[in-house]
Amino acid sequence: MKKTVAIVLCALLMALGAMALAEAPFGGLFDSLPGEPGGDTPPRGDVEASDGITLTVDGETVQLAYDASPQYSSIQGGLVQASYYAYGADGKTLYELYITFPETARAGMVITPEYAAMTNEESSVVLIVSKDGLETYYFSSLLDGSVYPTGSGFSIAIDSIGDEGGMVSYAGTLSANLIALDMVSGEVAANLDIPATPFSFTVSGQLSTPLPDDGPRATPQPEDMRKV
């Protein structure tokens, strides 16, 4: 199975929580992210720019397209991962956004770090910017039940979910304050605000627990009643 960003991020957070002082605290932990150098998936290809998310990073506004490829977007290990990406105006800088939340999410839920800590379920928002052979990781997740990095945060509001024929669709609104940490010192290097932004995507896979049948039920008519 392909490694998800959530798994690698979890390893990162566990390592940070276990160490007091170390040289290059991030060294090697992100080396197997999907699509990154040293990772286990191919470079990004062309996808339709539908269901996109617009971000402004370092003064450049980019329209990220949803990538339904199972190497990047999936339901596995109890987590839903959605991947969006775009190349910058220079044709080389790569922007990759990963939204991860529990498979148990249902319509009407708002997933935040506080919710994730309360339910003990993983969730995170990660933006990877690859430029000139270097990667910058903006993220917000949990460490020992608290939001990490400190001052970061996210809100993933799930408006609707559909499950049909091995395809699960989600629609909602994302907002986040992501923080990039210096790879050597662990100090804050940059901040990125994502204002309330609608999203929708369809991912292949099956939910382990079927969605509740909340649809309207027809009122039985007299001719439908079984006669004794």
Side-chain angles (χ1 to χ4, degrees):
M1 299 295 287
K2 305 295 184 181
K3 286 188 177 180
T4 66
V5 166
I7 292 173
V8 180
L9 185 60
C10 180
L12 165 70
L13 298 179
M14 290 175 63
L16 286 174
M19 70 174 79
L21 291 174
E23 182 178 355
F26 295 87
L29 289 172
F30 279 116
D31 289 346
S32 295
L33 284 175
E36 293 304 299
D40 55 1
T41 56
R44 293 287 191 172
D46 295 328
V47 298
E48 295 293 330
S50 60
D51 298 331
I53 291 179
T54 300
L55 296 181
T56 299
V57 185
D58 293 332
E60 180 173 13
T61 299
V62 289
Q63 175 78 17
L64 284 74
Y66 172 63
D67 191 341
S69 304
Q71 295 96 329
Y72 298 99
S73 299
S74 62
I75 299 177
Q76 61 175 319
L79 296 174
V80 178
Q81 176 174 289
S83 175
Y84 293 78
Y85 85 98
Y87 285 96
D90 60 6
K92 299 178 180 179
T93 303
L94 176 61
Y95 301 89
E96 297 179 281
L97 177 68
Y98 293 90
I99 306 170
T100 304
F101 54 87
E103 179 197 329
T104 54
R106 295 295 181 261
M109 287 186 178
V110 179
I111 301 166
T112 63
E114 292 76 17
Y115 169 87
M118 182 176 61
T119 60
N120 197 31
E121 293 178 306
E122 294 294 332
S123 58
S124 62
V125 178
V126 180
L127 175 71
I128 307 170
V129 181
S130 304
K131 183 176 183 179
D132 298 329
L134 300 175
E135 285 75 45
T136 301
Y137 303 91
Y138 298 85
F139 68 98
S140 180
S141 188
L142 294 177
L143 178 62
D144 294 333
S146 299
V147 64
Y148 190 84
T150 301
S152 70
F154 60 86
S155 173
I156 306 169
I158 308 296
D159 295 335
S160 64
I161 305 176
D163 185 2
E164 184 175 356
M167 304 296 290
V168 185
S169 59
Y170 294 87
T173 302
L174 167 72
S175 61
N177 176 31
L178 307 182
I179 292 179
L181 299 179
D182 183 273
M183 290 294 192
V184 175
S185 67
E187 298 296 322
V188 174
N191 288 268
L192 175 67
D193 286 321
I194 302 178
T197 302
F199 67 82
S200 62
F201 62 87
T202 300
V203 60
S204 61
Q206 282 191 311
L207 299 175
S208 57
T209 303
L211 295 175
D213 183 9
D214 295 329
R217 300 180 182 273
T219 301
Q221 298 300 312
E223 59 270 21
D224 297 327
M225 303 298 286
R226 179 175 293 179
K227 296 181 180 180
V228 179

